[in-house]
Structure formats: structure tokens, C-alpha cells
Amino acid sequence: MVKENRELIGQILLREGLINQGQLEKALKQQTKTNESIGHTLIGLGYIHEENFLSCLSKHLGIPYTKISNVEILPGVLKKVPVKFASRYKIFPLKIEKKSITVAMADPLDVRIQDDLRFLTDLKPIPVIASEKDIVRAIRHYYGIGAETIDEMVAADQKIPIELFQDKEEDLEKLAEDPTIIKFVNQIILEAYQNRATDIHIEPFKDELKIRYRIDGVLHETTTPAAMHAFQQSIISRIKIMADMNIAEHRLPQDGRIKLNVGKERLDLRVAIIPTIYGESIDLRILPHSQMMLGLKQLGLSRSYLEKTEVLIHLSHGIVLVTGPTGHGKTTTLYACLSKINSPEKKIITIEDPVEYRLRGVNQIQIRPKINLVFANGLRAILRQDPDVIMVGEIRDLETAEIAIRASLTGHLVFSTLHTNDACGAITRLIDMGIEPYLVSSSVEAVLAQRLVRLLCNECKEEYKPEVDIFKKMGFDIQKKVTIYKAGKGCEQCRYTGYKGRTGIYELLIINDEELKQLILERVPAGVIKKKAQSLGMKTLKQDGWDKIQKGVTSVEEVLRVAQQETLSLG
């Protein structure tokens, strides 16, 4: 942030009408306590947006204000300015022309930085104004996450071969506790958290170590320093130590857990490691406590589906299934249901693999296959505990399905999941497992199929009129012109992806119609059941997605991406 004369810039902002006298006086008072610049103080107090402040500053200083994302950065420019220098002084090189270098600076009036840059590059610095956040983001994107830390490790010992530590447990543990390794791993986790990532994938390949973040259900590869590959083993060992794993075991899969605090936020990280031909691959699932417990109203259910779900979860017995692919929020939906009905009057027991979220007042069991504590055995034990509500993480086999059905028929409400493409597919899946159709029709009360779609960024989404062909691709026979939205070019709010956050699209099959039950007894295909359910008012995944498209919540591309296997005919 620019170290400007506080009275001068304050008067400029007043004259421009960007702040009022009262705000300036409060900011000046606050500044005496923090010793920060008046601009930084005004922004921190929320009196002025950073972009407006920098634009005003640019106008009165005669120094251009630049968004780095709008500039094409050539690789040769980065070689002129080391990452350590850029990070320390909050600058970012933009372009080189003849004997000058254009540099984005958070403080373009700092002559000392410009002198150091002139000495370092032997080029004349031409400063432009950019926000500190923009500069930090550009350093991470172009130099690579943790590039400064990797440089420190390389400087400490430039000739560390990756093989040196592969079979020496003591050396690995010592190196994993090195402050630079600790800093680097922390940077990876912090970067993922700040980008709203749900998973961090650290993957070894022949000549590189890749880091990818799953953000809103889509994987994004992040730039990493080339030298990071040399520290592969020490990085993996550091994560093993944090997760209380066996640091010497490289041949078998391992699972663990890490608990961290980021500011006031508490994070649980579920760690899974598998051996590959180039080393161990790691997945860290991030479970922030403040986001994990969603209510039913936050899931994105339509009003009609929400009302029907409220009725279903208060039934005294029966089975309610949630279906969909891995990673599409089935567990979150089940927990939202349990949270809604959780009370001192009801005993709720769950058996899961793994227990991802902790629910106060609910008995939760983690399955342990090594000691034969699997879903079926755990479910038998649960029934001897006099429960009112049971949640089974997943129905994977005939034995578990039979016990769940028996529990539902003897006065228990059972929640569980299945992996099927749609709601009606759950019926045929149970029958294919070996469950008699009459048991399915008499025990299963409802099936909720779901997918997660990314939300369009409200700041940069663009309105457009699609071709009629796009509706045919979705399965809709619609001829009239419809105005909908698509992802824009991206902005700071969505980190230039065009999307921010996710919501669900749903398909709710309620088995309360006699004709529907008769079709189940006749073992008809899922498609026949689906047509009947649609005639009774069931909306399909694509139909629910189309409703959200028309509201500007998501895009056609998103609905097609997550519901490709769902077929639809409106007639």
C-alpha cells in the first residue's frame, strides 16, 4: 500500500466524493494506533473499495493503475526478477522493453525498491500501480506456490538428490521437520483453503511433483517450482508426521487425519496416501467446521422438494435413500436431514466410512474392516441399542441391504446411500442385489438423487440468448427464445473461474402410489418406473437443473456436465 501523505490523499478522496469527513477523521484516528497508510486504513474499515482507491491514486499521481490478469506475461520477464525479491517487496514484473522493465508495485513511490530493482536487473524500472492482493496472486500463479520457500531449500543444499532420503527413516524425519519444509506444506494447505478447495492432490510423476486443487468440484492444477520434485520425499514425510502415519511405510496405502487452525477457522484434513510407481500420491480432503453443517434450506432443494423432504425425515419408519456419484454431496444431505430431526427424544446412531463430520448428540461408528467391523456387523449391533433413527453410510452388499430393510420394517427410520445415476435406478439396484421386490416396495419410502453444480459468479456472469439446438442437447423441445446466463471471463471474486460455490440439483422419487409399487413388484426396468414417476409429478435432474438455469443460478454447461447420463423426454 502506498505510503502517501495522509492529509493530502485524504483531501483528494474527499474532493472526489469517495469518502466523507467523518470517515476520514475516524480513519486518521485509527491510523495513529496501527501506523498503516491512510489508504490501507480506509480500505480496512470498509469506507472505500481498494479498486476505487487505487484508481483515484493513479489519476492524481500520474502512474497507471493495472490489473495483472489483463497483461500477458512472457516467461523471460520472470527470470529477471527472483521470486524472493518479488515476494519481499510486493512487486511483479510485467514486461521488458529495450532498457526498461515495467513493474506492478503496491508502493510505486518507494524509491528504495526501484533502486534495488535497477541494480538487480540493470534495467530502468517503470512502476505501475496494482493491488497487493493482485500482486501476491500473480506471484503464486506465475512463479508457483511456495516458490520462495523452495528457493530457500535449494540455496541451503543445491545438490540434494531425491534418492538420498528414500530409505533412511531418520534422515527423512529430520528433513520433514525442517522449518522450510514445514513452511512449504503450510503454504500448500493455506492456498487451498483460501481458494475454497475441498481436496488437495499431491501427485508424483517421473520428472515432476504436481499439485492440484479441487474447487467447486473441478480440478485445477497449480503452478509449482521445477525444483520441488527434488524435495518430494521430505514433503510427503512432513504430511505423514502431521497425520500420525508410519513415516517408514512406502508400500501400502495409509489413512490419517490432521487438525489445523487457520485464523479462527478450525480445519479437519482427511489424509489418504497410496503408493504409485513414482512414489506416494496424497489426497487431503479439507473439512472446515464452519461449512460442514448445512441445513436443509441451504442444499438448494426447490420449495416443493423441500416440503416433501421435511415430511419424509419425520417418518417413524422406512428407508430414505440418497443416490449419486462420489463427491456430489450425499453425506452432506444425510447430515442435514439428521441435524433437522436430532433431539433428546430420538436416539440416532450412524455407521460410516469414514466419519467425516461430528454431530453432537448422535452416536457415530467408524467401520474397521481389519477387525471385521463392517456395515453389516455394525448394523446388527446398532439394532440392539434401541435406536429410533439409523444412518448407514452406504449400502454396498446384499447382507447390509437385508438388515437395513429388516430394521425399517420393525419400526426404525433408516437413511443410507447408493451409487446410481438417478432415483429410479436405486430400485433396480436393490433388486439386482437380491432383495425381493415386495420388500423394496414395502420398505423404501423415497429416493433422492442429486448432483452438485457450480454457481455462476454474480459479479461477472454474462447474459446471452442460446441457440435452440442447446435445448435439444439437453432434451428439451423448446422453440421460444429464452434469456439465460453463462460464465463470464472471471473476476477477483471468483478467482477468474466464472463460478463461485456450488448448489444441488435433485430428483425425488416418492414411493407412495399403488401403481408405482405394482411396477416394482413386476421387476420392470428403471426407465418404465421413471416414466410413471414423471406422470405423477416427479422432476428429473435435468428439469431441476433447467429451473436453476432460468433463475440465473447456474449454466447450461454445468447441468450437462454433471447430468450427462440422465435422459429426458418432455413429449
Side-chain angles (χ1 to χ4, degrees):
M1 190 58 64
V2 178
K3 300 172 183 176
E4 72 292 331
N5 181 288
R6 68 180 188 177
E7 294 180 351
L8 174 61
I9 191 62
Q11 292 304 315
I12 291 172
L13 295 172
L14 274 175
R15 191 163 57 249
E16 293 289 330
L18 295 174
I19 59 171
N20 58 46
Q21 185 65 43
Q23 290 173 332
L24 177 59
E25 290 176 1
K26 288 180 182 178
L28 290 172
K29 186 176 181 181
Q30 175 75 9
Q31 188 191 28
T32 59
K33 301 177 183 178
T34 62
N35 201 31
E36 292 179 333
S37 67
I38 191 66
H40 197 289
T41 305
L42 286 165
I43 293 167
L45 290 171
Y47 294 155
I48 186 171
H49 193 279
E50 184 179 33
E51 188 170 334
N52 294 335
F53 170 76
L54 294 176
S55 296
C56 179
L57 198 63
S58 168
K59 175 182 174 183
H60 288 275
L61 293 178
I63 300 175
Y65 168 51
T66 303
K67 283 193 173 183
I68 300 175
S69 59
N70 296 332
V71 181
E72 182 182 0
I73 310 298
L74 299 176
V77 180
L78 301 177
K79 294 178 181 178
K80 276 289 185 181
V81 181
V83 62
K84 192 171 183 179
F85 187 95
S87 298
R88 179 179 178 184
Y89 292 117
K90 297 295 186 292
I91 68 166
F92 188 81
L94 298 176
K95 62 180 178 179
I96 296 174
E97 292 179 332
K98 296 181 179 179
K99 294 186 178 182
S100 66
I101 180 169
T102 303
V103 185
M105 302 180 67
D107 187 353
L109 297 183
D110 195 321
V111 179
R112 178 176 55 88
I113 296 177
Q114 295 187 41
D115 288 343
D116 289 349
L117 189 61
R118 191 192 315 271
F119 178 79
L120 177 71
T121 63
D122 199 25
L123 296 169
K124 178 186 176 182
I126 299 177
V128 298
I129 297 175
S131 73
E132 190 171 311
K133 287 181 180 179
D134 203 11
I135 290 171
V136 171
R137 187 183 300 113
I139 290 171
R140 289 175 178 173
H141 178 71
Y142 288 99
Y143 286 102
I145 180 173
E148 182 183 357
T149 307
I150 291 292
D151 275 2
E152 291 176 14
M153 291 189 284
V154 172
D157 189 345
Q158 296 184 5
K159 297 182 180 180
I160 298 179
I162 190 169
E163 293 84 2
L164 180 62
F165 296 104
Q166 283 185 339
D167 298 310
K168 298 182 179 180
E169 181 182 349
E170 291 181 3
D171 287 339
L172 272 176
E173 192 163 353
K174 183 178 179 181
L175 189 58
E177 294 291 354
D178 184 275
T180 51
I181 294 291
I182 293 172
K183 180 181 178 182
F184 179 70
V185 172
N186 289 344
Q187 283 178 319
I188 293 173
I189 297 171
L190 180 61
E191 176 82 359
Y193 170 74
Q194 291 175 338
N195 280 280
R196 301 178 292 102
T198 55
D199 291 85
I200 305 170
H201 295 270
I202 303 175
E203 304 162 315
F205 294 94
K206 185 177 181 180
D207 299 314
E208 62 179 332
L209 186 65
K210 284 188 177 183
I211 296 179
R212 296 193 288 172
Y213 298 141
R214 188 175 295 279
I215 302 171
D216 295 331
V218 177
L219 280 174
H220 298 267
E221 186 172 344
T222 187
T223 307
T224 55
M228 187 176 70
H229 182 251
F231 299 93
Q232 173 180 318
Q233 281 303 119
S234 53
I235 292 167
I236 292 171
S237 295
R238 172 59 190 164
I239 293 172
K240 284 184 176 180
I241 289 172
M242 295 172 72
D244 197 24
M245 293 178 174
N246 183 353
I247 194 173
E249 180 56 71
H250 307 290
R251 302 167 300 169
L252 296 173
Q254 293 191 67
D255 294 303
R257 231 179 168 94
I258 299 172
K259 292 186 177 181
L260 293 173
N261 290 321
V262 178
K264 295 181 180 180
E265 178 72 271
R266 180 184 167 192
L267 302 183
D268 276 353
L269 278 73
R270 195 183 78 202
V271 186
I273 296 181
I274 58 170
T276 71
I277 58 173
Y278 293 116
E280 291 167 290
S281 179
I282 301 178
D283 171 62
L284 293 95
R285 170 66 57 87
I286 303 173
L287 304 169
H289 280 230
S290 65
Q291 300 174 16
M292 60 175 58
M293 291 313 302
L294 298 178
L296 281 176
K297 293 181 180 180
Q298 297 170 287
L299 297 178
L301 290 160
S302 65
R303 180 179 296 181
S304 172
Y305 276 0
L306 180 60
E307 290 173 354
K308 291 174 181 177
T309 303
E310 290 265 13
V311 173
L312 288 168
I313 64 175
H314 285 93
L315 293 174
S316 60
H317 62 275
I319 297 179
V320 177
L321 295 172
V322 180
T323 75
T326 300
H328 277 263
K330 298 188 298 296
T331 302
T332 301
T333 297
L334 288 177
Y335 272 100
C337 294
L338 294 183
S339 297
K340 182 71 175 179
I341 61 176
N342 188 13
S343 69
E345 292 78 31
K346 289 186 178 180
K347 179 161 185 174
I348 304 174
I349 306 179
T350 75
I351 180 163
E352 309 166 59
D353 181 29
V355 176
E356 291 190 358
Y357 308 147
R358 269 62 171 178
L359 262 181
R360 184 182 295 275
V362 175
N363 295 275
Q364 297 173 270
I365 302 171
Q366 166 74 53
I367 75 163
R368 302 184 185 279
K370 290 182 179 179
I371 57 172
N372 203 32
L373 179 54
V374 293
F375 282 120
N377 291 342
L379 194 48
R380 287 194 191 92
I382 288 172
L383 291 174
R384 295 193 290 270
Q385 291 288 312
D386 187 32
D388 296 292
V389 179
I390 301 168
M391 194 266 272
V392 184
E394 182 185 348
I395 293 178
R396 296 177 179 174
D397 52 51
L398 174 61
E399 188 177 12
T400 305
E402 286 178 334
I403 301 170
I405 286 174
R406 190 188 316 145
S408 71
L409 294 174
T410 53
H412 303 87
L413 180 60
V414 180
F415 293 95
S416 192
T417 70
L418 278 174
H419 285 89
T420 60
N421 290 328
D422 57 14
C424 298
I427 303 301
T428 53
R429 174 65 58 83
L430 288 172
I431 293 173
D432 289 343
M433 279 184 181
I435 301 296
E436 290 296 329
Y438 76 90
L439 289 174
V440 175
S441 65
S442 58
S443 63
V444 179
E445 297 291 336
V447 183
L448 180 71
Q450 67 179 66
R451 300 285 192 281
L452 292 180
V453 293
R454 292 182 292 173
L455 294 168
L456 287 168
C457 175
N458 285 324
E459 299 296 323
C460 64
K461 66 183 181 182
E462 298 176 359
E463 183 180 305
Y464 82 117
K465 294 181 179 179
E467 300 294 331
V468 174
D469 289 346
I470 196 70
F471 299 114
K472 291 181 180 179
K473 189 176 181 181
M474 290 191 70
F476 289 92
D477 184 17
I478 298 175
Q479 299 298 325
K480 65 179 181 179
K481 292 184 178 180
V482 181
T483 300
I484 56 180
Y485 291 86
K486 66 178 180 178
K489 295 180 180 178
C491 64
E492 187 175 324
Q493 291 296 315
C494 62
R495 298 187 179 268
Y496 302 95
T497 63
Y499 295 93
K500 185 178 181 181
R502 288 194 290 177
T503 191
I505 58 174
Y506 300 93
E507 177 178 291
L508 180 60
L509 170 68
I510 299 178
I511 306 173
N512 59 357
D513 181 81
E514 291 303 321
E515 290 185 34
L516 201 58
K517 290 184 177 183
Q518 184 59 39
L519 291 176
I520 295 173
L521 292 174
E522 293 172 4
R523 298 176 181 261
V524 300
V528 177
I529 297 174
K530 187 168 191 173
K531 285 183 179 179
K532 179 60 182 177
Q534 283 182 263
S535 71
L536 294 170
M538 183 187 79
K539 278 189 176 181
T540 65
L541 288 166
K542 280 187 179 176
Q543 286 174 319
D544 194 42
W546 174 240
D547 288 343
K548 289 180 170 64
I549 290 169
Q550 292 183 95
K551 293 175 182 176
V553 171
T554 190
S555 66
V556 171
E557 292 76 16
E558 269 300 286
V559 174
L560 288 175
R561 180 179 68 86
V562 303
Q564 289 177 351
Q565 297 181 22
E566 207 270 338
T567 57
L568 174 66
S569 174
L570 294 183

